[in-house]
Amino acid sequence: MDNMEDNIKCVTCTAPVNIAVIKYWGKRDEELVLPVNSSVSVTLDQAQLRAKTTVMASPSFPNDRMWLNGKEQSMDSKRIQNLLNEIKQWRKEKHNGDTCTDGLLMWKVHICSENNFPTAAGLASSAAGYACLAYSLAKLYNVEGDLSAIARRGSGSACRSMYGGFVEWDMGSQEDGSDSVSRQIASENHWPELRVLLLVVSDQQKSMGSTEGMQATLKTSQLMDRRIQCVPESVEKIKEAILKKDFKTFAEITMKDSNQFHAVCLDSCPPIFYLTDVSKQIIQLVHAFNSSCGITKVAYTFDAGPNACLYLLEEDVGRVLSLICHFFPPDKDDLNTFVQGLQTPSISPLKKDVSFISLPVQRGAIQYVIHTQSGPGPSILQDPAQSLLQADGFPNS
Ligand SMILES: Nc1ncnc2c1ncn2[C@@H]1O[C@H](COP(=O)(O)OP(=O)(O)OP(=O)(O)O)[C@@H](O)[C@H]1O
Ligand SMILES: C[C@@](O)(CCOP(=O)(O)OP(=O)(O)O)CC(=O)O
């Protein structure tokens, strides 16, 4: 905690993105954000994708205020209010409910956050953003414990970003949601060979947000009941595959779950289309590559948007990137900016004949690729120079 002055409390934290391999889709309680199925995800390295949030409380602030990526946002959002109130409630319980002797609870807060990647573009910015907010507020109010249920109130998938590595969000069964929490299956150091390629097909805002999309599916899809029956077995099997580092099983369950999730979207009325033609061509490419290898080497998964997330092993990154650059070459022939993130082996033109893959070459269809890996959960930044708010409580210009 950074006490810039006696009457200002300020803290800055970062939190990661996570990409589900068993998707969360559908709520049994909208207000408490309780899901209809458990889900499993991989937390990504913050070196490539992270939210950073500064929260400051002061008796001189007349109102709560919030800025996201440099623009002021309304604090009226129910989700932000729920999250803030729940953290304050924890603090209150710690102080035996005596708000009068606890000045901090009376002070207004200023929140400033920024993402180092496109916001609301299907790259799970809400997961990183709300996880970061929950973590920062918990540090500000000095409350300890499992914060996943608090992050969940901001956005369901955010509860999985509270931990690094491989994470399960247990749907729970209690009506009050007290057991709908996430926990780590294995740390970020468990499977160091596992790599992630995010293929950004579009970084524009998607047509239908996850919240509305899942409501429509739950209301109208007949296939959804079947999905809910299937998920528990997939969760158990993928957890086992993760612990055993069994890539083939991990990859096959991941692809099946992504396809099933998009099937229930399509079965909604009116149908929800998140995958584009380019997404479908990426799916085709992955299957063609796997079958040419005679073994499953790459898995794809798609959230509520057209961008692909590929899971693969480090030894295959060079080959897969060459294939991607062959079929989806960048608009400008600059491979250095096309593939961002972790260092990649130099991308060489394909030596093998790939004419058996019947796909057109589509220049510019993938905007860029982020090469990353699994990483740790949220963390606090001790250096006051990292603050996004100045001493007067307003964003750094
Ligand atoms: N750093 C942040 N701090 C607080 N809220 C954030 C932050 N980043 C994103 N959000 C919230 O999340 C919203 C974007 O969520 P949305 O679900 O539309 O996109 P996404 O999370 O990027 O995509 P997806 O859920 O499909 O992966 C933003 O409009 C904002 O309200
Ligand atoms: C497809 C998904 O990414 C859906 C994520 O949904 P959100 O967590 O964004 O939804 P809300 O709880 O309504 O905010 C799958 C997943 O991450 O598990």
Side-chain angles (χ1 to χ4, degrees):
M1 169 99 45
D2 172 27
N3 289 320
M4 296 163 92
E5 286 169 27
D6 277 353
N7 58 353
I8 293 181
K9 301 259 180 261
C10 183
V11 57
T12 302
C13 299
T14 65
V17 156
N18 73 79
I19 301 287
V21 288
I22 303 292
K23 306 291 185 198
Y24 144 57
W25 197 249
K27 295 181 188 68
R28 64 178 196 277
D29 186 316
E30 289 286 335
E31 174 71 16
L32 295 175
V33 191
L34 301 178
V36 292
N37 62 263
S38 297
S39 53
V40 175
S41 59
V42 180
T43 296
L44 303 187
D45 196 337
Q46 296 186 45
Q48 281 76 46
L49 301 136
R50 58 118 187 90
K52 179 178 170 184
T53 302
T54 299
V55 288
M56 188 185 272
S58 164
S60 66
F61 294 160
N63 308 101
D64 290 333
R65 291 178 75 171
M66 177 175 182
W67 292 263
L68 175 57
N69 297 325
K71 282 202 185 127
E72 184 153 16
Q73 310 277 305
S74 160
M75 282 283 291
D76 289 344
S77 139
K78 193 131 187 257
R79 290 174 169 213
I80 292 184
Q81 286 303 323
N82 285 344
L83 200 155
L84 187 60
N85 290 338
E86 211 159 302
I87 293 259
K88 285 184 166 178
Q89 188 57 35
W90 268 30
R91 165 104 184 172
K92 220 184 267 179
E93 282 161 19
K94 200 174 143 186
H95 285 247
N96 302 322
D98 187 359
T99 5
C100 302
T101 57
D102 189 9
L104 190 54
L105 276 176
M106 312 292 284
W107 298 358
K108 299 294 181 189
V109 288
H110 281 191
I111 299 166
C112 187
S113 188
E114 58 176 40
N115 301 322
N116 66 349
F117 61 96
T119 299
L123 292 174
S125 68
S126 56
Y130 287 111
C132 205
L133 185 58
Y135 194 78
S136 310
L137 289 171
K139 296 285 173 204
L140 184 83
Y141 291 115
N142 197 18
V143 292
E144 307 244 323
D146 173 43
L147 294 168
S148 66
I150 296 207
R152 193 193 77 219
R153 300 297 298 273
S155 185
S157 53
C159 76
R160 298 185 311 240
S161 278
M162 296 312 299
Y163 297 96
F166 301 83
V167 181
E168 174 182 12
W169 172 13
D170 186 341
M171 64 177 286
S173 56
Q174 300 293 324
E175 257 182 52
D176 66 358
S178 52
D179 57 350
S180 186
V181 293
S182 59
R183 62 178 78 93
Q184 192 175 63
I185 300 166
S187 89
E188 61 276 14
N189 303 317
H190 167 68
W191 201 350
E193 305 82 15
L194 191 72
R195 289 289 180 274
V196 176
L197 295 175
L198 289 171
L199 313 186
V200 180
V201 171
S202 162
D203 59 11
Q204 297 303 300
Q205 199 145 359
K206 60 203 173 223
S207 53
M208 186 182 280
S210 307
T211 309
E212 307 82 67
M214 62 179 83
Q215 280 167 354
T217 303
L218 212 57
K219 227 173 165 177
T220 61
S221 164
Q222 287 182 314
L223 293 182
M224 188 61 179
D225 284 344
R226 181 70 192 129
R227 168 163 173 76
I228 293 170
Q229 286 167 10
C230 294
V231 168
E233 192 184 334
S234 306
V235 166
E236 287 318 305
K237 283 193 171 155
I238 206 160
K239 277 163 55 180
E240 203 183 309
I242 289 167
L243 291 173
K244 285 187 185 155
K245 296 196 253 182
D246 169 359
F247 184 80
K248 181 177 176 288
T249 308
F250 171 81
E252 286 170 5
I253 297 174
T254 297
M255 290 187 281
K256 275 192 172 174
D257 188 78
S258 174
N259 292 335
Q260 190 183 66
F261 153 53
H262 288 280
V264 295
C265 288
L266 198 63
D267 187 46
S268 308
C269 188
I272 307 167
F273 305 101
Y274 287 124
L275 303 180
T276 60
D277 284 349
V278 176
S279 317
K280 291 174 201 162
Q281 283 154 3
I282 294 167
I283 292 176
Q284 248 181 290
L285 183 60
V286 168
H287 284 292
F289 177 71
N290 285 341
S291 83
S292 77
C293 294
I295 181 171
T296 305
K297 289 267 188 191
V298 186
Y300 54 77
T301 184
F302 294 81
D303 277 351
N307 302 328
C309 172
L310 304 187
Y311 288 102
L312 69 172
L313 297 178
E314 186 181 7
E315 63 195 22
D316 297 313
V317 168
R319 264 199 305 167
V320 170
L321 279 174
S322 296
L323 208 58
I324 290 165
C325 291
H326 176 85
F327 285 104
F328 305 101
D331 237 348
K332 293 171 242 123
D333 249 336
D334 186 0
L335 288 181
N336 295 324
T337 54
F338 185 58
V339 182
Q340 305 168 6
L342 287 177
Q343 197 153 15
T344 33
S346 68
I347 301 165
S348 43
L350 289 175
K351 288 186 200 92
K352 261 177 79 176
D353 175 24
V354 286
S355 56
F356 66 95
I357 303 178
S358 57
L359 279 178
V361 168
Q362 295 203 69
R363 188 168 288 278
I366 293 178
Q367 294 181 6
Y368 56 97
V369 177
I370 303 171
H371 177 199
T372 186
Q373 61 192 344
S374 178
S379 62
I380 183 163
L381 300 177
Q382 301 292 357
D383 179 3
Q386 292 287 342
S387 175
L388 297 172
L389 291 168
Q390 303 169 76
D392 64 0
F394 286 87
N396 303 325
S397 44

